[in-house]
CSV table of all heavy atoms in Angstrom, one decimal:
chain,number,residue,atom,x,y,z
A,241,ILE,N,141.9,-31.8,-8.4
A,241,ILE,CA,142.3,-33.2,-8.2
A,241,ILE,C,142.8,-33.8,-9.5
A,241,ILE,O,142.4,-33.4,-10.6
A,241,ILE,CB,141.2,-34.1,-7.6
A,241,ILE,CG1,140.0,-34.2,-8.5
A,241,ILE,CG2,140.8,-33.6,-6.2
A,241,ILE,CD1,138.9,-35.1,-8.1
A,242,ASP,N,143.6,-34.9,-9.4
A,242,ASP,CA,144.1,-35.6,-10.6
A,242,ASP,C,142.9,-36.5,-11.2
A,242,ASP,O,141.9,-36.6,-10.5
A,242,ASP,CB,145.2,-36.5,-10.2
A,242,ASP,CG,146.6,-35.9,-10.3
A,242,ASP,OD1,146.6,-34.6,-10.4
A,242,ASP,OD2,147.6,-36.6,-10.4
A,243,PRO,N,143.2,-37.1,-12.3
A,243,PRO,CA,142.2,-38.0,-12.8
A,243,PRO,C,141.8,-39.1,-11.8
A,243,PRO,O,142.6,-39.5,-11.1
A,243,PRO,CB,142.9,-38.6,-14.1
A,243,PRO,CG,143.8,-37.5,-14.5
A,243,PRO,CD,144.3,-36.9,-13.3
A,244,ILE,N,140.5,-39.4,-11.8
A,244,ILE,CA,140.0,-40.3,-10.8
A,244,ILE,C,140.1,-41.8,-11.2
A,244,ILE,O,139.7,-42.1,-12.4
A,244,ILE,CB,138.5,-40.0,-10.5
A,244,ILE,CG1,138.3,-38.6,-10.1
A,244,ILE,CG2,137.9,-41.0,-9.5
A,244,ILE,CD1,136.8,-38.1,-10.1
A,245,GLU,N,140.7,-42.6,-10.4
A,245,GLU,CA,140.9,-44.0,-10.7
A,245,GLU,C,139.9,-44.9,-10.1
A,245,GLU,O,139.6,-46.0,-10.6
A,245,GLU,CB,142.3,-44.5,-10.3
A,245,GLU,CG,143.5,-43.8,-11.1
A,245,GLU,CD,144.8,-44.5,-10.8
A,245,GLU,OE1,144.9,-45.1,-9.8
A,245,GLU,OE2,145.7,-44.4,-11.7
A,246,ASN,N,139.3,-44.5,-8.9
A,246,ASN,CA,138.4,-45.3,-8.2
A,246,ASN,C,137.5,-44.5,-7.4
A,246,ASN,O,137.9,-43.5,-6.8
A,246,ASN,CB,139.1,-46.4,-7.4
A,246,ASN,CG,138.1,-47.3,-6.7
A,246,ASN,OD1,137.4,-48.1,-7.3
A,246,ASN,ND2,138.1,-47.2,-5.3
A,247,ILE,N,136.2,-44.9,-7.3
A,247,ILE,CA,135.2,-44.2,-6.4
A,247,ILE,C,134.6,-45.2,-5.5
A,247,ILE,O,134.0,-46.2,-6.0
A,247,ILE,CB,134.2,-43.4,-7.2
A,247,ILE,CG1,134.8,-42.4,-8.2
A,247,ILE,CG2,133.2,-42.7,-6.3
A,247,ILE,CD1,133.8,-41.8,-9.1
A,248,GLU,N,134.6,-44.9,-4.2
A,248,GLU,CA,133.9,-45.7,-3.2
A,248,GLU,C,132.6,-45.1,-2.9
A,248,GLU,O,132.5,-44.0,-2.3
A,248,GLU,CB,134.8,-45.8,-1.9
A,248,GLU,CG,136.1,-46.5,-2.1
A,248,GLU,CD,136.9,-46.6,-0.8
A,248,GLU,OE1,136.2,-46.6,0.3
A,248,GLU,OE2,138.1,-46.5,-0.9
A,249,PHE,N,131.5,-45.8,-3.2
A,249,PHE,CA,130.2,-45.3,-3.0
A,249,PHE,C,129.6,-45.9,-1.7
A,249,PHE,O,129.9,-47.0,-1.3
A,249,PHE,CB,129.3,-45.7,-4.2
A,249,PHE,CG,129.6,-45.0,-5.5
A,249,PHE,CD1,130.3,-45.7,-6.5
A,249,PHE,CD2,129.2,-43.7,-5.7
A,249,PHE,CE1,130.6,-45.1,-7.7
A,249,PHE,CE2,129.4,-43.1,-6.9
A,249,PHE,CZ,130.2,-43.7,-7.9
A,250,PRO,N,128.7,-45.1,-1.1
A,250,PRO,CA,127.9,-45.7,0.0
A,250,PRO,C,127.0,-46.8,-0.5
A,250,PRO,O,126.7,-46.8,-1.7
A,250,PRO,CB,127.1,-44.5,0.6
A,250,PRO,CG,127.1,-43.5,-0.5
A,250,PRO,CD,128.3,-43.7,-1.3
A,251,ALA,N,126.5,-47.6,0.4
A,251,ALA,CA,125.6,-48.7,0.0
A,251,ALA,C,124.2,-48.2,-0.5
A,251,ALA,O,123.7,-47.2,0.0
A,251,ALA,CB,125.4,-49.7,1.2
A,252,PRO,N,123.6,-48.9,-1.5
A,252,PRO,CA,122.3,-48.5,-1.9
A,252,PRO,C,121.3,-48.5,-0.8
A,252,PRO,O,121.4,-49.4,0.1
A,252,PRO,CB,122.0,-49.6,-3.0
A,252,PRO,CG,123.3,-50.1,-3.4
A,252,PRO,CD,124.2,-50.0,-2.2
A,253,ALA,N,120.4,-47.6,-0.8
A,253,ALA,CA,119.3,-47.5,0.2
A,253,ALA,C,119.8,-47.0,1.6
A,253,ALA,O,119.0,-46.8,2.5
A,253,ALA,CB,118.5,-48.8,0.4
A,254,SER,N,121.1,-46.7,1.7
A,254,SER,CA,121.6,-46.1,2.9
A,254,SER,C,121.4,-44.6,3.0
A,254,SER,O,121.0,-44.0,2.0
A,254,SER,CB,123.1,-46.4,3.1
A,254,SER,OG,123.9,-45.8,2.0
A,255,GLU,N,121.5,-44.0,4.1
A,255,GLU,CA,121.3,-42.6,4.3
A,255,GLU,C,122.6,-41.8,4.3
A,255,GLU,O,123.6,-42.3,4.8
A,255,GLU,CB,120.6,-42.4,5.7
A,255,GLU,CG,119.2,-42.9,5.8
A,255,GLU,CD,118.2,-42.1,5.1
A,255,GLU,OE1,118.4,-40.9,4.9
A,255,GLU,OE2,117.1,-42.7,4.7
A,256,ILE,N,122.6,-40.7,3.6
A,256,ILE,CA,123.7,-39.7,3.7
A,256,ILE,C,123.1,-38.4,4.3
A,256,ILE,O,121.9,-38.2,4.3
A,256,ILE,CB,124.3,-39.5,2.3
A,256,ILE,CG1,123.2,-39.0,1.3
A,256,ILE,CG2,125.0,-40.7,1.8
A,256,ILE,CD1,123.8,-38.6,-0.1
A,257,TYR,N,124.1,-37.6,4.7
A,257,TYR,CA,123.7,-36.4,5.5
A,257,TYR,C,124.5,-35.2,4.9
A,257,TYR,O,125.6,-35.3,4.6
A,257,TYR,CB,124.0,-36.6,7.0
A,257,TYR,CG,123.2,-37.8,7.5
A,257,TYR,CD1,123.8,-39.0,7.6
A,257,TYR,CD2,121.9,-37.6,7.9
A,257,TYR,CE1,123.1,-40.1,8.1
A,257,TYR,CE2,121.2,-38.7,8.4
A,257,TYR,CZ,121.8,-39.9,8.5
A,257,TYR,OH,121.1,-41.0,9.0
A,258,GLN,N,123.8,-34.1,4.9
A,258,GLN,CA,124.4,-32.9,4.4
A,258,GLN,C,125.7,-32.6,5.2
A,258,GLN,O,125.7,-32.5,6.4
A,258,GLN,CB,123.5,-31.7,4.5
A,258,GLN,CG,124.0,-30.4,3.9
A,258,GLN,CD,123.1,-29.2,4.0
A,258,GLN,OE1,122.6,-28.8,5.1
A,258,GLN,NE2,122.7,-28.7,2.8
A,259,GLY,N,126.8,-32.4,4.5
A,259,GLY,CA,128.1,-32.2,5.1
A,259,GLY,C,128.8,-33.5,5.5
A,259,GLY,O,130.0,-33.4,5.9
A,260,GLY,N,128.1,-34.6,5.4
A,260,GLY,CA,128.8,-35.9,5.7
A,260,GLY,C,129.4,-36.5,4.5
A,260,GLY,O,129.3,-35.9,3.4
A,261,LEU,N,130.1,-37.6,4.6
A,261,LEU,CA,130.8,-38.2,3.5
A,261,LEU,C,129.8,-38.6,2.4
A,261,LEU,O,128.9,-39.3,2.6
A,261,LEU,CB,131.6,-39.4,4.0
A,261,LEU,CG,132.4,-40.1,2.9
A,261,LEU,CD1,133.5,-39.2,2.4
A,261,LEU,CD2,133.0,-41.4,3.5
A,262,LEU,N,130.1,-38.2,1.2
A,262,LEU,CA,129.3,-38.5,0.0
A,262,LEU,C,130.0,-39.7,-0.7
A,262,LEU,O,129.4,-40.8,-0.9
A,262,LEU,CB,129.2,-37.3,-1.0
A,262,LEU,CG,128.5,-37.6,-2.3
A,262,LEU,CD1,127.0,-37.9,-2.0
A,262,LEU,CD2,128.6,-36.4,-3.2
A,263,VAL,N,131.3,-39.5,-1.2
A,263,VAL,CA,132.1,-40.5,-1.8
A,263,VAL,C,133.5,-40.3,-1.4
A,263,VAL,O,133.9,-39.2,-1.0
A,263,VAL,CB,132.0,-40.6,-3.3
A,263,VAL,CG1,130.6,-40.9,-3.8
A,263,VAL,CG2,132.5,-39.3,-3.9
A,264,ARG,N,134.3,-41.4,-1.5
A,264,ARG,CA,135.7,-41.3,-1.3
A,264,ARG,C,136.4,-41.7,-2.7
A,264,ARG,O,136.1,-42.8,-3.2
A,264,ARG,CB,136.2,-42.2,-0.2
A,264,ARG,CG,137.7,-42.2,0.1
A,264,ARG,CD,138.0,-42.9,1.4
A,264,ARG,NE,137.6,-42.2,2.6
A,264,ARG,CZ,136.7,-42.6,3.4
A,264,ARG,NH1,136.0,-43.7,3.2
A,264,ARG,NH2,136.4,-41.8,4.5
A,265,MET,N,137.3,-40.9,-3.1
A,265,MET,CA,137.9,-41.1,-4.5
A,265,MET,C,139.4,-41.3,-4.4
A,265,MET,O,140.1,-40.5,-3.6
A,265,MET,CB,137.6,-39.9,-5.4
A,265,MET,CG,136.2,-39.6,-5.6
A,265,MET,SD,135.9,-37.9,-6.3
A,265,MET,CE,136.5,-36.8,-5.0
A,266,THR,N,139.9,-42.2,-5.1
A,266,THR,CA,141.4,-42.4,-5.3
A,266,THR,C,141.8,-41.8,-6.6
A,266,THR,O,141.2,-42.2,-7.6
A,266,THR,CB,141.8,-43.8,-5.1
A,266,THR,OG1,141.4,-44.4,-3.9
A,266,THR,CG2,143.3,-43.9,-5.3
A,267,THR,N,142.7,-40.9,-6.7
A,267,THR,CA,143.1,-40.3,-7.9
A,267,THR,C,144.4,-40.9,-8.4
A,267,THR,O,145.1,-41.6,-7.8
A,267,THR,CB,143.2,-38.8,-7.7
A,267,THR,OG1,144.0,-38.5,-6.6
A,267,THR,CG2,141.8,-38.2,-7.6
A,268,GLN,N,144.8,-40.4,-9.6
A,268,GLN,CA,146.0,-41.0,-10.3
A,268,GLN,C,147.3,-40.8,-9.5
A,268,GLN,O,148.2,-41.6,-9.6
A,268,GLN,CB,146.1,-40.3,-11.7
A,268,GLN,CG,147.0,-41.0,-12.7
A,268,GLN,CD,146.8,-40.4,-14.1
A,268,GLN,OE1,147.3,-39.3,-14.3
A,268,GLN,NE2,146.1,-41.1,-15.0
A,269,ASP,N,147.3,-39.8,-8.7
A,269,ASP,CA,148.5,-39.5,-7.9
A,269,ASP,C,148.5,-40.3,-6.6
A,269,ASP,O,149.3,-40.2,-5.7
A,269,ASP,CB,148.7,-38.0,-7.6
A,269,ASP,CG,147.4,-37.4,-6.9
A,269,ASP,OD1,146.5,-38.2,-6.6
A,269,ASP,OD2,147.4,-36.2,-6.8
A,270,LYS,N,147.5,-41.2,-6.4
A,270,LYS,CA,147.3,-42.1,-5.3
A,270,LYS,C,146.8,-41.4,-4.0
A,270,LYS,O,146.9,-42.0,-2.9
A,270,LYS,CB,148.6,-43.0,-5.0
A,270,LYS,CG,149.1,-43.7,-6.2
A,270,LYS,CD,148.0,-44.6,-6.9
A,270,LYS,CE,148.5,-45.3,-8.1
A,270,LYS,NZ,147.3,-46.0,-8.8
A,271,LEU,N,146.4,-40.2,-4.1
A,271,LEU,CA,145.8,-39.5,-3.0
A,271,LEU,C,144.3,-40.0,-2.9
A,271,LEU,O,143.7,-40.3,-3.9
A,271,LEU,CB,145.9,-38.0,-3.1
A,271,LEU,CG,147.3,-37.4,-3.0
A,271,LEU,CD1,147.2,-35.9,-3.3
A,271,LEU,CD2,147.8,-37.6,-1.6
A,272,VAL,N,143.8,-39.9,-1.7
A,272,VAL,CA,142.4,-40.3,-1.4
A,272,VAL,C,141.7,-39.1,-1.0
A,272,VAL,O,142.1,-38.4,0.0
A,272,VAL,CB,142.3,-41.4,-0.4
A,272,VAL,CG1,140.8,-41.7,-0.1
A,272,VAL,CG2,143.0,-42.7,-0.9
A,273,HIS,N,140.6,-38.7,-1.7
A,273,HIS,CA,139.9,-37.4,-1.4
A,273,HIS,C,138.5,-37.7,-1.0
A,273,HIS,O,137.8,-38.6,-1.6
A,273,HIS,CB,139.8,-36.6,-2.7
A,273,HIS,CG,141.2,-36.2,-3.2
A,273,HIS,ND1,141.9,-35.1,-2.8
A,273,HIS,CD2,142.0,-36.8,-4.2
A,273,HIS,CE1,143.0,-35.0,-3.4
A,273,HIS,NE2,143.1,-36.0,-4.3
A,274,ASN,N,138.0,-37.1,0.1
A,274,ASN,CA,136.6,-37.1,0.5
A,274,ASN,C,135.9,-36.0,-0.1
A,274,ASN,O,136.3,-34.9,-0.2
A,274,ASN,CB,136.5,-37.0,2.0
A,274,ASN,CG,137.2,-38.2,2.8
A,274,ASN,OD1,137.2,-39.3,2.3
A,274,ASN,ND2,137.6,-37.9,4.0
A,275,ALA,N,134.6,-36.3,-0.6
A,275,ALA,CA,133.7,-35.3,-1.0
A,275,ALA,C,132.5,-35.3,-0.1
A,275,ALA,O,132.0,-36.4,0.2
A,275,ALA,CB,133.3,-35.6,-2.5
A,276,TRP,N,132.0,-34.1,0.3
A,276,TRP,CA,131.0,-34.0,1.3
A,276,TRP,C,129.6,-33.9,0.6
A,276,TRP,O,129.5,-33.2,-0.5
A,276,TRP,CB,131.2,-32.8,2.2
A,276,TRP,CG,132.6,-32.8,2.8
A,276,TRP,CD1,133.5,-31.8,2.6
A,276,TRP,CD2,133.2,-33.7,3.6
A,276,TRP,NE1,134.7,-32.0,3.3
A,276,TRP,CE2,134.5,-33.2,3.9
A,276,TRP,CE3,132.9,-35.0,4.1
A,276,TRP,CZ2,135.4,-33.9,4.7
A,276,TRP,CZ3,133.8,-35.7,4.9
A,276,TRP,CH2,135.0,-35.2,5.1
A,277,SER,N,128.6,-34.4,1.2
A,277,SER,CA,127.3,-34.5,0.5
A,277,SER,C,126.6,-33.1,0.6
A,277,SER,O,126.5,-32.5,1.7
A,277,SER,CB,126.4,-35.5,1.2
A,277,SER,OG,125.1,-35.5,0.6
A,278,PRO,N,126.0,-32.6,-0.5
A,278,PRO,CA,125.3,-31.3,-0.4
A,278,PRO,C,123.9,-31.4,0.2
A,278,PRO,O,123.4,-30.4,0.7
A,278,PRO,CB,125.1,-31.0,-1.9
A,278,PRO,CG,125.1,-32.3,-2.6
A,278,PRO,CD,126.1,-33.2,-1.8
A,279,LEU,N,123.3,-32.6,0.3
A,279,LEU,CA,122.0,-32.8,0.9
A,279,LEU,C,121.9,-34.1,1.7
A,279,LEU,O,122.7,-35.0,1.5
A,279,LEU,CB,120.9,-32.9,-0.2
A,279,LEU,CG,120.7,-31.6,-1.0
A,279,LEU,CD1,119.7,-31.9,-2.2
A,279,LEU,CD2,120.1,-30.5,-0.2
A,280,SER,N,121.0,-34.2,2.6
A,280,SER,CA,120.6,-35.4,3.3
A,280,SER,C,119.6,-36.2,2.5
A,280,SER,O,118.8,-35.6,1.8
A,280,SER,CB,120.1,-35.1,4.7
A,280,SER,OG,121.0,-34.4,5.5
A,281,GLY,N,119.7,-37.5,2.5
A,281,GLY,CA,118.7,-38.3,1.8
A,281,GLY,C,119.0,-39.7,1.8
A,281,GLY,O,120.0,-40.2,2.2
A,282,GLU,N,118.1,-40.5,1.2
A,282,GLU,CA,118.3,-41.9,1.0
A,282,GLU,C,118.8,-42.1,-0.5
A,282,GLU,O,118.3,-41.6,-1.4
A,282,GLU,CB,116.9,-42.7,1.1
A,282,GLU,CG,117.1,-44.2,0.9
A,282,GLU,CD,115.7,-44.9,1.0
A,282,GLU,OE1,114.8,-44.3,1.6
A,282,GLU,OE2,115.6,-46.0,0.4
A,283,ILE,N,119.8,-43.0,-0.6
A,283,ILE,CA,120.4,-43.3,-1.9
A,283,ILE,C,119.5,-44.2,-2.7
A,283,ILE,O,119.1,-45.2,-2.2
A,283,ILE,CB,121.8,-43.9,-1.7
A,283,ILE,CG1,122.8,-42.9,-1.0
A,283,ILE,CG2,122.4,-44.4,-3.0
A,283,ILE,CD1,124.1,-43.6,-0.6
A,284,VAL,N,119.2,-43.7,-3.9
A,284,VAL,CA,118.4,-44.5,-4.8
A,284,VAL,C,119.3,-45.5,-5.5
A,284,VAL,O,119.1,-46.7,-5.5
A,284,VAL,CB,117.6,-43.6,-5.7
A,284,VAL,CG1,116.7,-44.5,-6.7
A,284,VAL,CG2,116.7,-42.7,-4.9
A,285,PHE,N,120.3,-44.9,-6.2
A,285,PHE,CA,121.3,-45.7,-6.8
A,285,PHE,C,122.5,-44.9,-7.3
A,285,PHE,O,122.4,-43.6,-7.4
A,285,PHE,CB,120.8,-46.5,-8.0
A,285,PHE,CG,120.1,-45.7,-9.1
A,285,PHE,CD1,120.8,-45.0,-10.1
A,285,PHE,CD2,118.7,-45.7,-9.2
A,285,PHE,CE1,120.2,-44.3,-11.0
A,285,PHE,CE2,118.1,-45.0,-10.2
A,285,PHE,CZ,118.8,-44.3,-11.1
A,286,ALA,N,123.6,-45.5,-7.5
A,286,ALA,CA,124.8,-44.8,-8.0
A,286,ALA,C,124.9,-44.8,-9.5
A,286,ALA,O,124.2,-45.7,-10.1
A,286,ALA,CB,126.1,-45.5,-7.4
A,287,ASN,N,125.6,-43.9,-10.1
A,287,ASN,CA,125.8,-43.9,-11.5
A,287,ASN,C,126.7,-45.0,-12.0
A,287,ASN,O,127.9,-45.0,-11.8
A,287,ASN,CB,126.4,-42.5,-11.9
A,287,ASN,CG,126.5,-42.3,-13.3
A,287,ASN,OD1,126.2,-43.2,-14.2
A,287,ASN,ND2,127.0,-41.1,-13.7
A,288,ASP,N,126.1,-46.0,-12.6
A,288,ASP,CA,126.8,-47.2,-13.0
A,288,ASP,C,127.8,-46.9,-14.1
A,288,ASP,O,128.7,-47.7,-14.4
A,288,ASP,CB,125.9,-48.4,-13.4
A,288,ASP,CG,125.0,-48.0,-14.5
A,288,ASP,OD1,125.1,-47.0,-15.2
A,288,ASP,OD2,124.0,-48.9,-14.8
A,289,ARG,N,127.7,-45.8,-14.8
A,289,ARG,CA,128.7,-45.4,-15.8
A,289,ARG,C,130.1,-45.3,-15.2
A,289,ARG,O,131.1,-45.5,-15.9
A,289,ARG,CB,128.4,-44.1,-16.5
A,289,ARG,CG,127.1,-44.1,-17.3
A,289,ARG,CD,126.9,-42.7,-18.0
A,289,ARG,NE,125.6,-42.6,-18.7
A,289,ARG,CZ,124.5,-42.0,-18.1
A,289,ARG,NH1,124.6,-41.6,-16.8
A,289,ARG,NH2,123.4,-41.9,-18.8
A,290,LEU,N,130.1,-44.9,-13.9
A,290,LEU,CA,131.4,-44.7,-13.3
A,290,LEU,C,132.2,-45.9,-12.9
A,290,LEU,O,133.4,-45.9,-12.6
A,290,LEU,CB,131.2,-43.8,-12.1
A,290,LEU,CG,130.5,-42.5,-12.3
A,290,LEU,CD1,130.4,-41.6,-11.0
A,290,LEU,CD2,131.2,-41.7,-13.4
A,291,GLU,N,131.5,-47.1,-13.0
A,291,GLU,CA,132.2,-48.3,-12.7
A,291,GLU,C,133.3,-48.6,-13.8
A,291,GLU,O,134.4,-49.0,-13.5
A,291,GLU,CB,131.2,-49.5,-12.7
A,291,GLU,CG,130.3,-49.5,-11.6
A,291,GLU,CD,129.3,-50.7,-11.6
A,291,GLU,OE1,129.6,-51.6,-12.4
A,291,GLU,OE2,128.4,-50.7,-10.8
A,292,GLN,N,132.9,-48.3,-15.1
A,292,GLN,CA,133.9,-48.5,-16.2
A,292,GLN,C,134.7,-47.3,-16.5
A,292,GLN,O,135.8,-47.3,-16.9
A,292,GLN,CB,133.1,-48.9,-17.4
A,292,GLN,CG,132.4,-50.2,-17.3
A,292,GLN,CD,133.3,-51.4,-17.1
A,292,GLN,OE1,134.4,-51.4,-17.7
A,292,GLN,NE2,132.9,-52.3,-16.2
A,293,THR,N,134.1,-46.1,-16.2
A,293,THR,CA,134.8,-44.8,-16.5
A,293,THR,C,134.8,-43.9,-15.2
A,293,THR,O,134.0,-42.9,-15.2
A,293,THR,CB,134.1,-44.1,-17.7
A,293,THR,OG1,133.9,-45.0,-18.7
A,293,THR,CG2,135.0,-43.0,-18.2
A,294,PRO,N,135.6,-44.2,-14.2
A,294,PRO,CA,135.5,-43.4,-13.0
A,294,PRO,C,135.9,-42.0,-13.1
A,294,PRO,O,135.5,-41.1,-12.3
A,294,PRO,CB,136.5,-44.1,-12.1
A,294,PRO,CG,137.4,-44.9,-13.0
A,294,PRO,CD,136.6,-45.3,-14.1
A,295,ASP,N,136.6,-41.6,-14.2
A,295,ASP,CA,137.0,-40.2,-14.4
A,295,ASP,C,136.0,-39.4,-15.2
A,295,ASP,O,136.3,-38.3,-15.7
A,295,ASP,CB,138.4,-40.1,-15.0
A,295,ASP,CG,139.0,-38.7,-14.8
A,295,ASP,OD1,138.9,-38.2,-13.7
A,295,ASP,OD2,139.5,-38.1,-15.8
A,296,LEU,N,134.8,-40.0,-15.5
A,296,LEU,CA,133.8,-39.3,-16.3
A,296,LEU,C,133.4,-38.0,-15.7
A,296,LEU,O,133.1,-37.1,-16.5
A,296,LEU,CB,132.6,-40.2,-16.4
A,296,LEU,CG,131.5,-39.8,-17.4
A,296,LEU,CD1,132.0,-39.5,-18.8
A,296,LEU,CD2,130.3,-40.8,-17.4
A,297,PRO,N,133.4,-37.8,-14.4
A,297,PRO,CA,133.1,-36.4,-13.9
A,297,PRO,C,134.0,-35.3,-14.5
A,297,PRO,O,133.6,-34.2,-14.7
A,297,PRO,CB,133.2,-36.5,-12.4
A,297,PRO,CG,132.9,-38.0,-12.1
A,297,PRO,CD,133.5,-38.7,-13.3
A,298,HIS,N,135.3,-35.6,-14.7
A,298,HIS,CA,136.2,-34.6,-15.3
A,298,HIS,C,135.7,-34.3,-16.7
A,298,HIS,O,135.9,-33.1,-17.2
A,298,HIS,CB,137.6,-35.1,-15.3
A,298,HIS,CG,138.4,-34.8,-14.1
A,298,HIS,ND1,138.9,-35.7,-13.3
A,298,HIS,CD2,138.8,-33.6,-13.6
A,298,HIS,CE1,139.6,-35.1,-12.3
A,298,HIS,NE2,139.5,-33.8,-12.5
A,299,GLN,N,135.2,-35.2,-17.4
A,299,GLN,CA,134.8,-35.0,-18.8
A,299,GLN,C,133.4,-34.4,-19.0
A,299,GLN,O,133.2,-33.6,-19.9
A,299,GLN,CB,134.9,-36.3,-19.6
A,299,GLN,CG,136.2,-37.0,-19.5
A,299,GLN,CD,136.1,-38.5,-19.8
A,299,GLN,OE1,135.4,-38.9,-20.7
A,299,GLN,NE2,136.9,-39.4,-19.1
A,300,ASP,N,132.5,-34.8,-18.1
A,300,ASP,CA,131.1,-34.4,-18.3
A,300,ASP,C,130.5,-34.4,-16.9
A,300,ASP,O,129.8,-35.4,-16.5
A,300,ASP,CB,130.4,-35.4,-19.2
A,300,ASP,CG,128.9,-35.0,-19.4
A,300,ASP,OD1,128.5,-33.9,-19.0
A,300,ASP,OD2,128.2,-35.8,-20.1
A,301,PRO,N,130.7,-33.4,-16.0
A,301,PRO,CA,130.4,-33.5,-14.6
A,301,PRO,C,129.0,-33.6,-14.2
A,301,PRO,O,128.6,-34.1,-13.2
A,301,PRO,CB,131.1,-32.2,-14.0
A,301,PRO,CG,131.1,-31.3,-15.2
A,301,PRO,CD,131.4,-32.1,-16.4
A,302,VAL,N,128.1,-33.0,-15.1
A,302,VAL,CA,126.7,-33.0,-14.7
A,302,VAL,C,125.8,-33.9,-15.5
A,302,VAL,O,125.1,-34.7,-14.9
A,302,VAL,CB,126.1,-31.5,-14.9
A,302,VAL,CG1,124.7,-31.4,-14.6
A,302,VAL,CG2,126.9,-30.5,-14.0
Side-chain angles (χ1 to χ4, degrees):
I241 61 174
D242 268 19
I244 303 166
E245 290 191 338
N246 182 64
I247 303 175
E248 296 177 31
F249 291 102
S254 61
E255 293 284 332
I256 56 175
Y257 301 93
Q258 186 178 58
L261 182 65
L262 178 66
V263 296
R264 182 171 284 114
M265 302 168 290
T266 303
T267 47
Q268 198 171 73
D269 53 8
K270 305 309 177 187
L271 290 175
V272 178
H273 300 275
N274 293 332
W276 312 120
S277 180
L279 293 172
S280 301
E282 179 183 337
I283 295 170
V284 180
F285 54 79
N287 184 354
D288 58 11
R289 298 183 185 93
L290 303 185
E291 293 181 11
Q292 297 297 321
T293 314
D295 198 45
L296 187 56
H298 268 117
Q299 304 162 35
D300 182 8
V302 176

